[in-house]
Amino acid sequence: MTVSDEPTPETPENEPEEPIKQRKNGLYPVVSDELAENMKSGWADTEQHDLAPLPQAAETAARRAALSARFPGERLVIPAGNLKTRSNDTEYAFRASVEYAYLTGNQTEDGVLVLEPRGEGHTATIYLLPRSNRENGEFWLNGQGELWVGRRHSLGEAEKRYGIPASDVRELADALRERHGPVRVVRGYDAGIEAALADKVTAERDDELRVFLSEQRLVKDDFEIGELQKAVDSTVRGFEDVVRVLDKAEATSERYIEGTFFLRARVEGNDVGYGSICAAGPHACTLHWVRNDGPVRSGDLLLLDAGVETHTYYTADVTRTLPINGRFSDIQRKIYDAVHDAQEAGIAAVRPGAKYRDFHDASQRVLAERLVEWGLVEGPVERVLELGLQRRWTLHGTGHMLGMDVHDCAAARTETYVDGVLEPGMCLTVEPGLYFQADDLTVPQEYRGIGVRIEDDILVTEDGNRNLSAGLPRRSDEVESWMAALKG
């Protein structure tokens, strides 16, 4: 018999194997019996016997224990997600769901964490794809086989790494269909797992699970704080990289800035934590300018909003607005200093026991005062704030929670997030801005096309706060000196 170019993944022994899928237009349409037999043997044993648990294994165990205590007697299913097609037979780079990675430390596609109720608690099992099968040729013929995309951990190796018993995920869907009792699943990541549970779950109950997992991340443990500082430190170096090559960006486009920062993110981390905003000139007035295909001109400002993501998925989120030629013009400095003063007021309002909204309100008040002072909006300031008139130029909220998602904890209840109170261990951004659109006829010509945002990552401490991104200067004169030093 002969086999074709790409078999399907190995199926459990009690099920017949599907015919091996042949890839259209493959140069080797069949595999001879002799070659198939040859490929089964002659391989060294590569099982890794000296693996240590992940550095965060104790933290992930504590997180699972808290989840277990919240939902006693219920089966909890948290998938990592599946690969998504980018084009034809290529896939987007995989990033596991935050809920799954937070609870396991694992980042591989198709993984599923199941907490099975036992007595007063739960037993956890991590379901994963085992190593590629060498008997049926999967390891060298399948598009997701190890010789194509790299070695996977064996199930035994996974147990050592994650401190959780591991089983074959290909058997999980059928097992879930047969089990009884209350169950919740984190939706939106694995259609196959959701289909297996379709008659056992409700949207309301599943949403409660997602909300709890989101709120669980509001206060960071020591491991998480360390990872956030790593992310910020790499981000600081990425900003320095950009300043050093601004002349090359002027000769090309914003993409040179994007690529320069991305190199730092990939060398020191996993990736960028979100699409980098490399907005030069009037593009700085577009809040999420990620096209990054515009010109970089001397005399304009560059709004760089970017963050490195660590290998454990924690991301920085930092913004600096820089004069491309190294010196602010008078009008640029006037607007920049107003935003800096607003950020100073916002950061000063971050402390334990303060309302989450306090830092936003403090920043917005300063910006409203400047807009009234400049004659751009009619006062008094209290009227401006009550009617939200400053928002024509401030546009967005002054910050958000930060962690494994750049906008972390987004599914949390309003009363615990926006209407909540700050606690030590929370990490958030403070990022006021002023944006004068190029076509805004309500402001003088000299303002038009100028956008300024300054953003830092602030950790709430026992006695106030710590600016994790203090390694980057913020005052306009300090920014100019810093840029001059980097340019030599």
Side-chain angles (χ1 to χ4, degrees):
M1 97 179 239
T2 58
V3 294
S4 72
D5 222 342
E6 290 190 3
T8 57
E10 178 191 7
T11 53
E13 292 183 3
N14 61 344
E15 296 182 12
E17 282 193 11
E18 296 181 9
I20 293 170
K21 180 182 178 182
Q22 181 171 332
R23 184 163 127 195
K24 187 176 183 180
N25 294 318
L27 293 176
Y28 293 103
V30 295
V31 175
S32 67
D33 291 345
E34 291 78 6
L35 177 58
E37 193 61 33
N38 177 275
M39 290 297 289
K40 292 179 182 180
S41 60
W43 305 100
D45 179 9
T46 60
E47 183 76 7
Q48 299 174 1
H49 300 284
D50 57 350
L51 288 176
L54 291 181
Q56 70 269 40
E59 284 81 5
T60 56
R63 297 166 193 166
R64 294 192 299 274
L67 177 61
S68 171
R70 170 62 180 82
F71 298 104
E74 302 184 57
R75 184 174 302 109
L76 307 174
V77 182
I78 300 95
N82 315 123
L83 290 172
K84 291 182 172 60
T85 299
R86 181 181 186 274
S87 175
N88 188 27
D89 59 351
T90 63
E91 293 84 22
Y92 287 102
F94 180 73
R95 189 181 190 277
S97 75
V98 164
E99 294 87 352
Y100 175 84
Y102 179 75
L103 293 167
T104 66
N106 178 255
Q107 299 176 5
T108 55
E109 65 270 17
D110 302 325
V112 183
L113 172 69
V114 177
L115 269 61
E116 191 72 25
R118 289 285 187 275
E120 297 182 358
H122 290 79
T123 58
T125 304
I126 188 169
Y127 290 85
L128 302 166
L129 285 172
R131 292 197 62 193
S132 296
N133 190 312
R134 301 209 171 205
E135 286 300 308
N136 71 354
E138 176 198 0
F139 78 109
W140 71 287
L141 291 173
N142 186 279
Q144 296 301 319
E146 290 182 1
L147 297 194
W148 287 93
V149 298
R151 183 186 187 277
R152 296 192 288 265
H153 281 301
S154 70
L155 298 181
E157 291 168 352
E159 290 188 9
K160 295 177 183 176
R161 289 275 291 164
Y162 308 114
I164 312 171
S167 292
D168 190 337
V169 72
R170 294 168 299 183
E171 303 169 4
L172 178 59
D174 287 342
L176 290 174
R177 287 189 188 95
E178 296 171 2
R179 293 176 190 173
H180 301 286
V183 59
R184 299 175 191 254
V185 63
V186 176
R187 301 189 183 202
Y189 298 115
D190 193 317
I193 293 299
E194 288 182 40
L197 296 170
D199 61 343
K200 305 176 188 295
V201 296
T202 67
E204 181 180 3
R205 287 163 53 80
D206 293 346
D207 188 58
E208 288 174 352
L209 172 60
R210 181 184 289 277
V211 167
F212 175 81
L213 290 172
S214 195
E215 293 182 0
Q216 192 178 9
R217 302 198 306 275
L218 282 168
V219 176
K220 271 58 180 178
D221 57 39
D222 289 343
F223 176 84
E224 294 179 286
I225 293 169
E227 289 299 293
L228 284 167
Q229 187 65 69
K230 281 186 197 174
V232 169
D233 291 346
S234 290
T235 298
V236 168
R237 290 187 282 272
F239 274 67
E240 293 171 346
D241 296 339
V242 167
V243 172
R244 291 189 181 101
V245 300
L246 280 177
D247 57 334
K248 294 182 174 63
E250 287 187 62
T252 51
S253 76
E254 295 163 339
R255 290 192 178 187
Y256 203 96
I257 296 167
E258 179 183 358
T260 298
F261 187 85
F262 180 70
L263 177 61
R264 178 66 65 173
R266 286 294 283 165
V267 168
E268 295 193 1
N270 177 56
D271 206 330
V272 289
Y274 52 96
S276 298
I277 298 168
C278 308
H283 288 163
C285 298
T286 301
L287 298 183
H288 287 169
W289 176 261
V290 293
R291 299 180 203 172
N292 299 335
D293 58 0
V296 179
R297 298 188 179 97
S298 179
D300 283 346
L301 297 176
L302 167 68
L303 190 156
L304 178 59
D305 184 337
V308 173
E309 177 186 82
T310 67
H311 294 291
T312 56
Y313 287 177
Y314 290 86
T315 185
D317 181 9
V318 177
T319 305
R320 289 294 183 269
T321 304
L322 311 172
I324 292 167
N325 63 11
R327 299 289 296 180
F328 290 100
S329 71
D330 289 344
I331 186 64
Q332 289 169 351
R333 189 184 305 275
K334 173 182 173 179
I335 296 169
Y336 184 94
D337 288 349
V339 174
H340 173 263
D341 290 348
Q343 194 200 28
E344 285 281 271
I347 292 173
V350 175
R351 59 184 179 275
K355 295 178 181 178
Y356 175 84
R357 292 179 180 272
D358 286 352
F359 76 92
H360 169 72
D361 293 342
S363 291
Q364 290 293 298
R365 175 170 291 277
V366 172
L367 295 177
E369 289 171 350
R370 298 304 169 85
L371 291 167
V372 171
E373 176 187 326
W374 298 341
L376 302 184
V377 63
E378 183 182 348
V381 170
E382 293 299 338
R383 168 185 172 272
V384 173
L385 293 170
E386 181 182 355
L387 299 177
L389 301 180
Q390 83 284 0
R391 292 182 60 188
R392 181 181 179 102
W393 303 285
T394 67
L395 293 176
H396 55 79
T398 311
H400 53 79
M401 291 294 180
L402 184 67
M404 297 181 83
D405 281 330
V406 65
H407 296 144
D408 207 27
C409 313
R413 293 168 295 170
T414 300
E415 57 265 34
T416 61
Y417 189 158
V418 174
D419 291 337
V421 173
L422 297 179
E423 301 177 36
M426 290 182 171
C427 187
L428 52 91
T429 68
V430 179
E431 50 173 314
L434 281 174
Y435 312 91
F436 298 102
Q437 305 299 326
D439 59 350
D440 187 350
L441 302 181
T442 70
V443 300
Q445 179 69 44
E446 63 178 350
Y447 288 80
R448 298 175 198 167
I450 295 178
V452 173
R453 180 164 66 251
I454 311 172
E455 178 180 18
D456 285 270
D457 300 343
I458 309 298
L459 174 69
V460 183
T461 61
E462 294 288 346
D463 57 356
N465 69 66
R466 174 157 57 96
N467 185 349
L468 301 181
S469 45
L472 285 175
R474 293 185 294 125
R475 259 183 21 209
S476 56
D477 59 333
E478 293 175 343
V479 168
E480 289 174 333
S481 298
W482 170 73
M483 292 183 70
L486 288 171
K487 289 183 175 184

